[in-house]
């Protein structure tokens, strides 16, 4: 009895197939959500490293505990201003890179 060889796929191939090709709205939305999720996890880790509660961080930033919770669970509803305030309150350095065509513009 012959065994059938299984076809393997890369992660990129699976994303292209099930989410959409790079440059499509679906893929852009997916990549954006993924980055925002990582950003929220970074905020939570930095807060915990500083031994702050969500309520304490909220007071430092000038927002309610619920907003910190939302930010940590999905940063896509936050403004850049709020994110910068959170990292400043955490005494964390944050850098943004903006790519214009083939050139990077660094914002510190």
């Amino acid at each position: 009895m012959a065994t059938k060889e299984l076809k393997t796929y890369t992660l990129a191939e699976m994303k292209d197939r099930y989410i959409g090709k790079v440059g499509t709205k679906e893929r852009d939305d997916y990549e954006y959500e993924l980055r925002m999720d990582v950003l929220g996890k970074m905020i939570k880790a930095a807060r915990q490293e500083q031994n702050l509660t969500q309520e304490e961080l909220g007071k430092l930033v000038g927002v309610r505990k619920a907003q910190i919770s939302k930010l940590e669970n999905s940063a896509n509803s936050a403004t850049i201003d709020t994110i910068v305030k959170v990292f400043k309150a955490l005494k964390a350095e944050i850098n943004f890179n903006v790519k214009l065509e083939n050139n990077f513009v660094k914002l510190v």
Side-chain angles (χ1 to χ4, degrees):
M1 184 166 150
T3 59
K4 186 177 179 181
E5 189 172 323
L6 296 176
K7 168 95 171 98
T8 59
Y9 297 93
T10 66
L11 179 58
E13 289 171 327
M14 296 301 288
K15 285 182 185 179
D16 286 350
R17 184 173 183 178
Y18 293 102
I19 298 167
K21 300 258 185 214
V22 173
T24 63
K25 182 181 181 333
E26 293 80 12
R27 183 67 170 266
D28 289 347
D29 289 348
Y30 167 80
E31 297 293 342
Y32 176 79
E33 290 290 328
L34 185 60
R35 285 189 299 272
M36 292 300 105
D37 185 53
V38 169
L39 182 59
K41 286 180 178 14
M42 289 169 56
I43 290 169
K44 182 176 183 177
R47 174 183 61 77
Q48 290 175 331
E49 190 172 302
Q50 296 285 329
N51 294 315
L52 293 171
T53 65
Q54 289 178 338
E55 187 170 353
E56 291 168 332
L57 178 57
K59 285 180 183 176
L60 290 172
V61 176
V63 299
R64 294 181 180 189
K65 174 189 175 216
Q67 288 176 281
I68 299 297
S69 177
K70 279 176 70 175
L71 184 60
E72 289 180 356
N73 290 307
S74 179
N76 64 352
S77 63
T79 64
I80 295 290
D81 186 50
T82 301
I83 292 169
V84 169
K85 284 180 184 177
V86 166
F87 280 112
K88 280 187 178 183
L90 292 168
K91 297 179 178 120
E93 184 178 317
I94 184 168
N95 298 299
F96 292 96
N97 291 318
V98 177
K99 185 175 181 185
L100 300 173
E101 294 188 20
N102 292 325
N103 300 316
F104 281 97
V105 177
K106 288 197 175 201
L107 305 173
V108 180

